[in-house]
């Protein structure tokens, strides 16, 4: 008889200090190859101008003081460790803190793991940065310190890794106050970074640390239940599992977000703790968004729209987030923002920057980039209903008179979706939030998991090729039993579910649902078609999940721990060690074949979509007239 494994537990605290018990799991130790931990070596070293960290990366533009594995004692008694890169002088400097559990440097995720490095050349950075974080080689030359902590549980830091929440924000706030207390600090701290590092900024800013003067969230969610754990109630846990298997901890491991999804299928205190109260944030913010990120799009636009900051700017780009973040032009733009708020350079012209710089995608043509606007969503938006016609599978401007029903089989991989098309009679821009109203029933079950997409087709009905590598598709999800609307916080164009209760479908019951489709900006030429696809969402095997065997695969060479951190490639030949190269190495808690860990979909048998007559199924699209 196999002994049943006991779930380890940890304690978090909500906004009022109330304890929340959370499940914990192991992750890989720092000795595992795939996590690429370079070793523990407290001390201070001068990194010389012209030296390099790794072959192929840019040489350092200036001398940098490097403080490694510096301890920070948190108020809960745990000690964490941070790296600090700062200018080689005795002056006081502002700092930029990059916050994630990925590792103070390199770590289990790195651009070399990704095909063509996602378009970021090695020599665009010095390689001193943590994954998705600010490059010290760039920032130190302009008088900034970069602080890269290993958060609780990460590598050698004590405690367990948090999947966000109020305690996570408090940890960041304590780090910021520690930075302000350092002798080299001018007591002005900013935060920067992409993805997890952007998410961190929302949670920390909501804590109002005294010395946090500016944030720059570069694409990141702020509602862990509705933007990563589930989308519209539909479990989307594959990415969470893959991400967790890149972490390393020699202490208490990580909060087990997959187990928590099973324990907490509905919105409750656990998930409420992981929602940022955006309206409480008043920190100056430089926000960057895109339309094509599965995890980040919705939350980034919501962050821009809902924070209370009087000083906030939005820039929407048209490529993938990593090349956008490490493009020098964008680094220079961000530096202008930080110079204003962290250095007090109030005459540098930053306040003349347009509040919104918008990109609009145009597959098959030329994208609009950095169009100046005053707000988002755009005030001149003309919301237009395109009604579903089940008879010809078209979308049309006029309501459909005759009631019709269209069915598909959710169990048939080749036939578990239906599409509707609308052909544009003239060039049209659709930019903003999108909603799909559907009338549905489950003919053979009591629930439905739906995934809907909106995309662009050429006049012949084919997709335009993707230029940036990110497919230009707007997405929406809903578990029909969790359809209850949050009336107080919903709008006609941005419906929100409460996710607080499950209302199973009765046999033969037909219900209306309002599905939020994430913001999109798209140009449709005359004759181009909008395609709406409605499909039964199926949770696949972890073995087939995207990126499942990618992270940790690249082998990187760095100087051995007993050598200098950087070296002159022309004159020095230090002993090198190889990090990485084993992407299949996973913890015993996280093997991809442990499918019972994963939530299941609820689809079974036939789904029916009703349109016409009393069934006003329609797609609400934000049509943008040209500027006056």
């Amino acid at each position: 008889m196999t002994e049943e494994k006991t779930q380890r537990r940890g304690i978090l605290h909500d906004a009022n200090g109330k304890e929340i018990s959370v499940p914990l799991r192991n992750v890989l130790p720092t000795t595992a190859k795939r996590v690429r931990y370079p070793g523990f070596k407290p001390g201070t070293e001068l990194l010389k101008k012209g030296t390099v960290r790794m072959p192929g990366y840019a040489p350092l533009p200036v001398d940098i003081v490097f403080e490694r594995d510096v301890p920070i004692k948190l108020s809960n008694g745990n000690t964490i460790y941070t790296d600090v890169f700062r200018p080689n002088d005795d002056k006081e400097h502002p700092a930029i803190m990059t916050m994630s559990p990925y590792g103070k440097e390199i770590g289990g995720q790195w651009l070399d793991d990704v095909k063509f490095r996602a378009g970021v050349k090695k020599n665009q950075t010095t390689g001193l940065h943590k994954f998705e974080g600010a490059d010290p080689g760039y920032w130190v030359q302009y008088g900034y310190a970069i602080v890269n902590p290993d958060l609780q549980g990460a590598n050698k830091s004590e405690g367990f890794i948090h999947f966000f929440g109020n305690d996570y924000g408090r940890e960041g706030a304590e780090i910021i106050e520690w930075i302000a207390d350092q002798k080299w600090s001018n007591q002005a701290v900013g935060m920067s970074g992409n993805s997890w590092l952007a998410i961190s900024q929302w949670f920390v800013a909501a804590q109002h640390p005294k010395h946090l003067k500016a944030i720059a969230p570069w694409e990141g969610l702020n509602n862990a239940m509705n933007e990563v754990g589930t989308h519209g109630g539909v479990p989307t846990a594959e990415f969470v599992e893959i991400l967790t298997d890149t972490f390393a901890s020699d202490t208490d491991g990580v909060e087990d977000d997959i187990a928590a999804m099973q324990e907490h299928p509905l919105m409750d205190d656990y998930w409420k703790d992981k929602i940022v109260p955006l309206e409480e944030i008043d920190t100056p913010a430089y926000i960057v968004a895109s339309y094509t990120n599965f995890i980040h799009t919705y939350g980034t636009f919501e962050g821009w729209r809902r924070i209370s900051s009087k000083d906030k700017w939005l820039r929407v780009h048209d490529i993938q987030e990593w090349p956008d973040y490490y493009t020098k032009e964008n680094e220079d733009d961000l530096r202008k923002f930080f110079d204003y708020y962290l250095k007090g350079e109030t005459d540098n012209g930053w306040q003349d920057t347009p509040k919104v710089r918008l990109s609009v995608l145009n597959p098959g043509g030329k994208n609009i980039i950095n169009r100046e606007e005053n707000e988002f969503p755009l005030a001149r938006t003309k919301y237009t209903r395109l009604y579903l016609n089940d008879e010809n599978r078209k979308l049309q401007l006029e309501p459909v008179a005759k009631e019709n029903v269209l069915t598909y089989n959710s169990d048939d991989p080749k036939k578990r979706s239906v599409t509707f098309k609308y052909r544009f009679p003239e060039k049209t821009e659709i930019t903003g939030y999108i909603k799909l109203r559907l009338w549905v029933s489950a003919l053979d079950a009591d629930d439905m998991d739906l995934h809907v997409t909106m995309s662009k087709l050429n006049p012949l009905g084919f997709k335009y090729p993707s230029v940036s590598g990110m497919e230009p598709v707007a997405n929406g999800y809903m578990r029909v039993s969790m359809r209850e609307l949050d009336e107080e916080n919903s709008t006609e164009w941005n419906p929100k579910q409460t996710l607080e209760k499950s209302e199973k479908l009765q046999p033969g019951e037909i219900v209306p649902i309002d599905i939020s489709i994430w913001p999109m900006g798209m140009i449709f030429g005359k004759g181009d078609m909008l395609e709406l696809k409605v499909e039964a969402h199926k949770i696949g095997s972890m073995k087939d999940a995207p990126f499942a065997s990618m992270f940790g695969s690249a082998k990187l060479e760095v100087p051995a721990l007993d050598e200098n951190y950087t070296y002159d490639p022309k004159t020095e030949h230090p002993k090198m060690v190889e990090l990485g190269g084993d992407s299949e190495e996973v913890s015993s808690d996280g093997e991809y074949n442990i499918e019972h860990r994963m939530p299941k979909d609820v689809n079974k048998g036939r789904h029916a979509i009703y349109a016409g007559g009393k069934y006003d199924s329609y797609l609400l699209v934000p049509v943008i007239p040209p500027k006056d």
Side-chain angles (χ1 to χ4, degrees):
M1 183 181 233
T2 304
E3 184 178 348
E4 191 169 327
K5 198 171 181 180
T6 302
Q7 178 76 62
R8 293 189 298 122
R9 312 294 297 186
I11 296 295
L12 295 179
H13 303 83
D14 69 8
N16 299 313
K18 177 184 174 183
E19 289 189 354
I20 302 173
S21 174
V22 299
L24 302 180
R25 58 165 282 192
N26 294 325
V27 287
L28 291 166
T30 55
T31 53
K33 287 183 66 175
R34 75 169 291 177
V35 301
R36 289 184 285 232
Y37 183 63
F40 188 73
K41 186 184 178 183
T44 300
E45 182 179 343
L46 182 64
L47 310 180
K48 288 288 192 177
K49 175 181 178 179
T51 60
V52 299
R53 173 62 173 153
M54 291 180 282
Y57 285 80
L60 306 191
V62 293
D63 288 354
I64 297 176
V65 175
F66 175 41
E67 298 180 61
R68 186 174 190 171
D69 291 317
V70 182
I72 301 176
K73 190 79 168 181
L74 300 176
S75 60
N76 64 4
N78 287 335
T79 296
I80 67 171
Y81 297 93
T82 190
D83 288 348
V84 178
F85 299 87
R86 56 184 176 84
N88 183 29
D89 58 33
D90 296 324
K91 299 177 182 178
E92 294 180 348
H93 297 281
I96 298 172
M97 194 262 279
T98 64
M99 185 175 170
S100 76
Y102 292 160
K104 294 187 280 77
E105 58 164 320
I106 308 177
Q109 302 176 60
W110 197 247
L111 284 176
D112 291 64
D113 294 330
V114 183
K115 187 177 181 180
F116 304 125
R117 287 179 51 87
V120 181
K121 297 178 180 178
K122 285 185 178 181
N123 62 10
Q124 282 183 250
T125 71
T126 60
L128 301 185
H129 58 287
K130 70 191 310 182
F131 183 62
E132 299 181 320
D135 179 15
Y138 173 86
W139 288 95
V140 172
Q141 67 181 316
Y142 296 110
Y144 286 85
I146 298 295
V147 181
N148 293 341
D150 267 348
L151 301 179
Q152 290 182 88
N155 294 321
K156 300 292 184 181
S157 292
E158 296 173 350
F160 63 88
I161 298 170
H162 299 168
F163 254 97
F164 314 123
N166 276 278
D167 272 353
Y168 184 83
R170 294 181 186 108
E171 180 178 358
E174 289 191 33
I175 296 170
I176 286 170
E177 298 311 307
W178 176 88
I179 293 170
D181 199 39
Q182 303 307 297
K183 63 180 181 180
W184 48 260
S185 171
N186 75 345
Q187 298 194 322
V189 182
M191 294 184 72
S192 178
N194 167 246
S195 189
W196 189 297
L197 289 75
I199 301 165
S200 301
Q201 297 174 59
W202 299 123
F203 280 94
V204 174
Q207 299 294 325
H208 302 287
K210 177 181 177 181
H211 293 99
L212 178 63
K213 303 302 182 182
I215 59 174
W218 221 275
E219 299 204 43
L221 62 88
N222 39 63
N223 181 327
M225 181 179 188
N226 200 35
E227 296 167 33
V228 64
T230 69
H231 290 297
V234 177
T236 48
E238 300 95 320
F239 181 73
V240 174
E241 183 74 8
I242 293 164
L243 188 67
T244 306
D245 281 322
T246 69
F247 294 162
S249 177
D250 284 346
T251 53
D252 296 336
V254 65
E255 182 182 343
D256 191 342
D257 215 35
I258 303 296
M261 291 177 197
Q262 308 280 25
E263 290 182 10
H264 305 274
L266 300 175
M267 179 67 72
D268 60 7
D269 288 346
Y270 174 82
W271 290 114
K272 288 176 182 177
D273 179 57
K274 298 179 185 302
I275 299 175
V276 177
L278 291 168
E279 287 77 10
E280 296 180 13
I281 295 176
D282 57 7
T283 311
Y286 178 124
I287 300 167
V288 177
S290 74
Y291 305 113
T292 53
N293 191 290
F294 176 77
I295 302 295
H296 304 147
T297 293
Y298 184 82
T300 308
F301 281 106
E302 283 294 277
W304 149 259
R305 193 172 67 85
R306 291 170 49 200
I307 62 173
S308 299
S309 307
K310 294 179 180 178
D311 296 344
K312 61 179 180 179
W313 287 262
L314 173 68
R315 183 172 64 80
V316 183
H317 65 83
D318 67 332
I319 56 176
Q320 202 271 350
E321 64 218 54
W322 298 327
D324 184 77
Y325 186 69
Y326 292 111
T327 296
K328 187 179 184 302
E329 178 184 357
N330 296 334
E331 288 181 305
D332 291 344
D333 194 57
L334 178 59
R335 177 164 55 88
K336 193 175 180 181
F337 168 77
F338 278 143
D339 285 349
Y340 186 95
Y341 288 102
L342 303 186
K343 289 186 174 182
E345 296 181 6
T346 54
D347 59 351
N348 71 354
W350 174 256
Q351 290 290 335
D352 297 328
T353 304
K355 287 295 185 180
V356 176
R357 288 171 287 176
L358 200 63
S359 291
V360 184
L361 308 181
N362 187 13
K366 187 176 181 180
N367 294 347
I368 296 171
I369 300 174
N370 285 339
R371 186 177 74 198
E372 297 181 9
E373 300 285 355
N374 297 318
E375 72 285 311
F376 188 92
L378 303 181
R380 64 184 185 278
T381 303
K382 304 295 183 184
Y383 288 102
T384 303
R385 294 186 180 189
L386 298 176
Y387 292 91
L388 277 64
N389 190 325
D390 282 347
E391 280 193 306
N392 54 24
R393 298 198 185 185
K394 289 184 178 180
L395 299 166
Q396 60 186 61
L397 291 169
E398 306 80 19
V400 179
K402 183 181 178 182
E403 294 178 8
N404 279 280
V405 61
L406 188 62
T407 63
Y408 60 86
N409 187 348
S410 67
D411 297 320
D412 187 338
K414 296 181 179 180
K415 297 180 180 179
R416 62 172 177 239
S417 65
V418 292
T419 59
F420 300 84
K421 296 181 177 64
Y422 176 79
R423 188 181 297 273
F424 287 88
E426 59 184 1
K427 183 179 179 181
T428 305
E429 177 184 335
I430 291 177
T431 297
Y433 289 78
I434 305 161
K435 182 186 85 170
L436 177 62
R437 157 65 67 91
L438 282 182
W439 288 81
V440 299
S441 69
L443 302 180
D444 303 310
D446 61 2
D447 210 344
M448 306 163 70
D449 279 347
L450 299 178
H451 175 208
V452 300
T453 58
M454 189 200 82
S455 57
K456 175 181 176 180
L457 305 179
N458 68 20
L460 296 177
F462 298 103
K463 286 187 177 181
Y464 287 102
S466 173
V467 177
S468 67
M470 304 295 287
E471 189 175 4
V473 173
N475 292 273
Y477 292 81
M478 177 171 285
R479 174 163 284 182
V480 174
S481 62
M482 298 171 72
R483 62 190 176 276
E484 180 185 58
L485 281 179
D486 179 352
E487 300 287 355
E488 182 179 351
N489 294 303
S490 293
T491 65
E492 172 64 13
W493 41 268
N494 185 22
K496 296 175 182 288
Q497 298 156 254
T498 66
L499 303 178
E500 291 179 348
K501 66 179 182 179
S502 176
E503 300 175 279
K504 295 293 187 179
L505 295 172
Q506 300 301 313
E509 184 179 12
I510 302 171
V511 298
I513 57 174
D514 289 327
I515 303 176
S516 171
I517 299 179
W518 309 334
M520 172 55 72
M522 187 87 77
I523 299 292
F524 293 83
K526 180 179 180 180
D528 283 338
M529 289 186 284
L530 180 157
E531 180 182 69
L532 172 68
K533 183 178 181 180
V534 181
E535 66 178 341
H537 178 74
K538 287 289 186 178
I539 298 176
S541 167
M542 281 300 298
K543 293 180 180 179
D544 301 324
F547 314 121
S549 60
M550 181 179 72
F551 291 131
S553 60
K555 296 178 180 180
L556 308 178
E557 283 192 333
V558 299
L561 197 61
D562 57 353
E563 302 278 346
N564 289 333
Y565 190 76
T566 59
Y567 66 97
D568 186 337
K570 297 178 181 177
T571 61
E572 297 178 287
H573 303 283
K575 179 176 64 176
M576 305 290 281
V577 295
E578 188 177 83
L579 303 178
D582 189 352
S583 62
E584 298 299 328
E585 187 178 28
V586 294
S587 69
S588 59
D589 281 355
E591 293 179 1
Y592 298 127
N593 61 0
I594 305 181
E595 298 294 345
H596 70 266
R597 287 178 51 79
M598 305 304 293
K600 307 301 181 185
D601 62 74
V602 296
N603 290 316
K604 179 182 179 183
R606 296 166 298 159
H607 290 178
I609 297 173
Y610 302 83
K614 65 182 179 183
Y615 300 118
D616 61 337
S617 295
Y618 62 84
L619 181 70
L620 186 73
V621 293
V623 176
I624 308 300
K627 282 186 173 183
D628 292 336

